[in-house]
Structure formats: structure tokens, C-alpha cells
Amino acid sequence: MIIHRKPLRALAVNPYRHYPSSALSSAELMTEQPNPETSFLEQLGQRVRTMRALRGMSRKVLAKVSGISERYIAQLESGKGNVSIVLLRRVSNAMGAHLEDLIPASEPAPDWPVIRDLVRKATPNQIAHAKDVLSGQGNGAARRQMSFAGIALIGLRGAGKSTLGKLLAKKIGWSFVELNKEIEQQNGLSVAEIIALYGQEGFRRMEQAALGQLLARKELVVLATGGGIVSEPLTFDLILSSFYTIWLKAEPEEHMARVRKQGDLRPMADDRSAMAELRTILLSREPLYARAAAVVDTAGLGVDNAAARLIEAVTPVVAQDARMFARG
């Protein structure tokens, strides 16, 4: 099944209901108003759990990298760990995440992480110009236009990005590029070695640099991305802006079977709860994968049928002016 994404209008739902003051007892009122500190810890735990899943890290791996016991991290994620700011900083550093992303607060706009990271890297002149534009004092210069770079495949490990990407590239006559291999070639280290030496944050920096160099070539490619690329806002935004992006989707059991067949359980090796971890990762990433321009569901399909479905999905893109499909 191929799904071409169209924007959906959000439904406004009022979560508030009015009850007469006499309708609820004092005990019921206390039930309706949970302890704010308990609620804060529960939200904090949820954010840590979600961020860990986005990074594709098991609880055991996070414990090892952060130097914090797995039991303590389990307590933290369940909302029962009264964590210190120092330990929380160690957890965020181990995941290569920003500390503020773990702190419960009102939900920002979806593009806020991208804007925040752009501001962090901006020059003083760029920041001044951005302030003028946001305050309505700027001249509204034309926004960044990204040239079309090809087709990018996203999805969990075991989705078939490399296998199907090679077949697609051969069919349409474009080059095939595996982003992780580009990173390895440019840095002279394997992905596992990069993460061991520089951590998740270092790997994400190299991933973004490799993507930038690939785009500088200005050639049409079929790009197979790493499963966790969606966890880095700027890098994923660049993918969506430069490529016609397709989410290769399958059932969790199929992902796991394919990964086992490849002999690669990174980063869930020796973890008896690997299947549960994979489900958690998929659940946390689904809203980000769903930002793709199209979804190709390969559940239950062999390689030939899955390739045929992917080729069918990109036929309109290849046949028409490619620049129409660049999402700015």
C-alpha cells in the first residue's frame, strides 16, 4: 500500500468540562488535581523514555554510557526517580540530547527544535536579521530554496532501505548512496567506533556534515539514511527540504527478523528485551517518519514485490520536474 501524505486539518478539542461546585466532593477534587511534583516527574520520565527510543538506545546501553545504574534509569523513566540536575545532565549527554528537551514544559511549535538549532549556529548578523524579520521590521527576503537532490528512504533498520534503494537507483539510472557509509569513509571509522569515541552527539555532527557534502555534489541520488536520522531536527529538516522522502514501513517483527538475519542488533545487543525496545523505538519515531512525502508499506512482501511498489511510488517524481517535489 502506498500512501501519499496530504496535510490534515487539526481538530480543535476543548478538554475542559464544567462541573457545578456541589457535584464533586473534596476527595474527588483532590483526585482531579494531582500533585504537581508527581506530574512533573512522570512527564520527565516520559520525555527521557521517548528521547532514548528516538536515539534507538536500550536502557542497558544508556546506563552503560551515562554511568548510571539501569535500575535508577528505570525508576527515572517510570516517574519515580527524584533525579538531580547533575544526573539528568549525564543522561542527556549520553543520548546526545539537549538538557532542556528533557524538562517538561508547554509544548512548543513543531518547528521549534529546528529554529533553536539554527539560532545556536547562526552568526551575529544572521541573528540580527532574524530578529528584524520576526519583529516585522525586516524586508522579508525570499526564504531558503533547496535544490532537489533525489529520493531519500527513511525507516527503522531492517526496513530494506539499502536493498530496495540499490534496486530503485539501478532502475531509474541514479546513483545510490548509503549515508552511514559516507560518514565512515569521510572519517575513517565505523559507525560503532564513532559512537564509542565521540558519542551520539559526535555522530550526529558527522552525519550532518556528510549530508552537507553529499548535497554539495549536486547530483541526483537515491539516499538510504540511518534509522535514527529523524532524531536530529536540523539534519532531518534538510532531508525533507532536499529530497522526495519515502518512509519504508514494515511490521516490528519483520524489522527484527531482518536485523537478526543481518547479524546486527546494534544498539540492542545482548538485550533480552530487544523486541520490546524495538517497539518503543518505532512508536516514538512514527510521528517523525510520518512527515515523509509518501509511505511504502512492505509488510509481508518479498524483495521483488516491495521494489515494484517503491518504483510505483516514485514514478510521478521521476517523470515530472523534480524541483516541484522539493519541500522547503
Side-chain angles (χ1 to χ4, degrees), residues 177 182 185-186 210 212-221:
V177 175
E182 289 286 308
Q185 291 173 3
Q186 291 176 17
Q213 291 186 37
L214 175 63
L215 292 174
R217 300 177 195 171
K218 297 188 181 301
E219 62 174 305
L220 292 174
V221 301

Side-chain angles (χ1 to χ4, degrees), residues 40-114:
F40 177 87
L41 289 175
E42 290 174 350
Q43 292 177 54
L44 175 62
Q46 176 63 48
R47 284 176 178 249
V48 171
R49 187 164 61 250
T50 299
M51 188 65 69
R52 175 173 64 79
L54 278 173
R55 264 44 179 187
M57 300 177 75
S58 70
R59 192 176 289 160
K60 180 179 293 184
V61 170
L62 177 56
K64 182 178 180 180
V65 177
S66 66
I68 301 172
S69 73
E70 188 175 350
R71 179 181 178 184
Y72 189 86
I73 291 175
Q75 290 178 330
L76 171 62
E77 292 187 352
S78 66
K80 298 176 182 177
N82 194 4
V83 65
S84 72
I85 191 67
V86 174
L87 290 184
L88 189 60
R89 182 171 178 268
R90 284 167 62 180
V91 170
S92 66
N93 286 343
M95 294 189 291
H98 298 293
L99 181 60
E100 62 265 33
D101 286 343
L102 301 181
I103 306 299
S106 57
E107 290 298 325
D111 285 334
W112 168 244
V114 175

